[in-house]
Amino acid sequence: MSMLAFPRRIRDRVQGGLPLAKLTTLRIGGPAQYFVEARTLRDVADTCAAARECGLPLHVLGGGSNLLVCDEGVQGIVLSLHGMKRIQAFGTKVQVQAGANLSALVAACSAAGIAGPQSLAGIPGTVGGALAMNAGGRYGEIADYVASVIWISPEGDLQSLYREEITFGYRSSMLRSGVVIETVIEGTAGEHAQLVARARTVLQEKLAAQPYSEFSAGCTFKNPKGQSAGRYIDQAGCKGLMVGGAKVSDRHGNFIVNRGDAKASDILELMQQVQRRVFEAFGVSLQPEVQIWPGRVLLAA
Ligand code: EPU
C-alpha cells in the first residue's frame, strides 16, 4: 500500500517502518508498518477512518509500558496520542487527554488539592493506556476515579461515556476496543502537602519491591484470584532464569527484564518456561498481563 492511500489531512503525519523498540519500556520490538502521531482529535478520527477504509489493523500505543512488540514488528497502523497531553483541573475534577502520562495526572491532582489518584503513583504509562488496561496496584485502580470518557467507539463513532456506561475488570476494560481521547477524573478535596506525601509513600513502596531502573513491561502475568503471580513464580524457583537477553528479575518474580540485547522471542520463550514451571509446581495457569503485538496466544502451560 502506498502512503497516497491515506487521506491528505493525515498523510504528512504517517511514517513508514518506524522502529517501535524505543517507544516501549522493554526496549524491544520491530517496526510499525505505519505510525501516526496524533495532535488533535481530528487526527485521531482521520486515522481511525483511514484504517477502516484501507482495511488495516489499528493498534493504539500508550506509554508502551505494558507491551511486548514482536521482533517482526506490526502490520497496519500504530497510533500514538503522545501529542495530546493537556491536563486541566477544576474543583475536585481533572480533565486530561489520553496521551498525558499517568504520573503527570497524579502530580496535577496533588497540586490542585484533589485526593484519590495518588494511589496510582509510580504506575508508568499514559492515561489512555491506563484506562484501556484499568491500571492499578495495591491501593486502587484508575476505574475508581473515572467520571466520564470521550472515545472513538469500535464502530468509529465519537462518544461521551459516563462512568456507569463503562465496564472495567481486573486489568481490563471495554475501552481497549476503541480509542480513548480524554477523560474526566474525579477525587475528593485534599490538602496539597498531604497528597504529595501520600503519592511519595506509594511510589517508595513500589521502588522497594520492583526492579524500577531496569527495562521491563511491569508485571508479566495477571495475579490469579486472591494470589500473587510473583510469589508463585518465586516459589517455583524461577527468579534469575534466563533465555538469551531476557531474565526473570531477582527482585520481583513477576517482572521479566531485558538485560540489554533481548529479543521478543527470548521474552516469549521465558514466559512459557515460567508458565510451565508454575503449572508443574502448583497446577496454576498464569495468564499474561503484558499485551503482545501482534496478538499471539501463549501456551496455557
Ligand atoms: N512476592 C514474593 N516474591 C516475589 C514477588 C512477590 O514472595 O518475587 C510476594 C510479596 O512478598 C507479597 C506478595 O507476593 O507478599 C504480593 O507482591 P506485591 O506486593 O509485589 O504485589 P503483586 O501482587 O506482585 C501487584 C500488581 C503490580 C503492582 C503491585 C503493587 C498485578 C499483576 N500486579 O503486584 O502491578 O505494582 O501489586 O501495588 O496486579 C503491573 O500491573 O504491571 C504491576 C506491576
Side-chain angles (χ1 to χ4, degrees):
M1 202 191 95
S2 128
M3 296 282 186
L4 294 176
F6 287 98
R8 188 179 297 275
R9 282 192 306 274
I10 59 160
R11 210 175 288 157
D12 61 353
R13 289 256 188 291
V14 184
Q15 299 178 65
L18 186 93
L20 292 171
K22 280 208 191 106
L23 300 177
T24 73
T25 54
L26 260 175
R27 298 289 194 276
I28 288 178
Q33 185 184 8
Y34 300 108
F35 182 87
V36 178
E37 179 157 319
R39 291 199 203 131
T40 61
L41 166 60
R42 186 64 188 261
D43 290 344
V44 179
D46 285 345
T47 306
C48 292
R52 210 166 252 271
E53 279 159 31
C54 303
L56 291 169
L58 179 69
H59 304 269
V60 187
L61 180 70
S65 49
N66 195 45
L67 179 62
L68 175 62
V69 177
C70 290
D71 299 311
E72 302 73 38
V74 184
Q75 292 299 303
I77 305 176
V78 171
L79 170 64
S80 156
L81 277 72
H82 288 182
M84 299 172 66
K85 293 178 184 290
R86 203 182 53 238
I87 301 178
Q88 215 166 6
F90 51 102
T92 52
K93 292 182 180 167
V94 182
Q95 184 175 21
V96 53
Q97 288 185 311
N101 287 330
L102 190 56
S103 56
L105 169 64
V106 172
C109 287
S110 299
I114 300 169
Q118 290 74 23
S119 66
L120 307 175
I123 298 177
T126 61
V127 169
L131 286 167
M133 288 297 301
N134 190 15
R138 188 176 306 160
Y139 301 110
E141 51 194 28
I142 195 164
D144 300 338
Y145 310 108
V146 171
S148 62
V149 167
I150 293 175
W151 77 329
I152 295 185
S153 74
E155 294 75 35
D157 300 322
L158 181 65
Q159 295 175 339
S160 178
L161 303 172
Y162 291 110
R163 170 64 185 88
E164 50 274 25
E165 297 174 288
I166 308 170
T167 312
F168 288 105
Y170 166 58
R171 299 294 179 273
S172 69
S173 91
M174 64 180 251
L175 300 171
R176 253 195 81 195
S177 58
V179 185
V180 174
I181 308 286
E182 64 178 52
T183 182
V184 174
I185 295 293
E186 183 165 19
T188 53
E191 197 271 314
H192 172 70
Q194 276 174 14
L195 299 179
V196 171
R198 170 73 183 143
R200 193 173 303 136
T201 305
V202 175
L203 173 65
Q204 293 299 342
E205 275 186 27
K206 278 177 75 91
L207 292 178
Q210 301 178 2
Y212 233 70
S213 56
E214 294 176 83
F215 299 135
S216 85
C219 282
T220 311
F221 298 101
K222 295 186 179 184
N223 280 343
K225 230 181 176 50
Q227 298 292 332
S228 162
R231 190 186 292 133
Y232 276 128
I233 295 165
D234 190 355
Q235 289 178 356
C238 297
K239 276 187 170 172
L241 213 59
M242 282 190 248
V243 173
K247 180 180 172 187
V248 177
S249 167
D250 294 314
R251 235 175 135 83
H252 193 297
N254 205 6
F255 281 63
I256 290 181
V257 297
N258 172 9
R259 294 185 306 139
D261 56 353
K263 301 248 163 279
S265 54
D266 297 338
I267 306 270
L268 288 167
E269 169 62 29
L270 189 52
M271 285 171 71
Q272 289 179 353
Q273 284 191 19
V274 167
Q275 283 179 310
R276 224 173 282 135
R277 285 201 187 203
V278 168
F279 188 76
E280 276 160 17
F282 302 108
V284 171
S285 297
L286 294 179
Q287 299 304 317
E289 184 204 287
V290 59
Q291 303 298 305
I292 300 168
W293 282 5
R296 171 146 169 186
V297 180
L298 283 181
L299 292 178

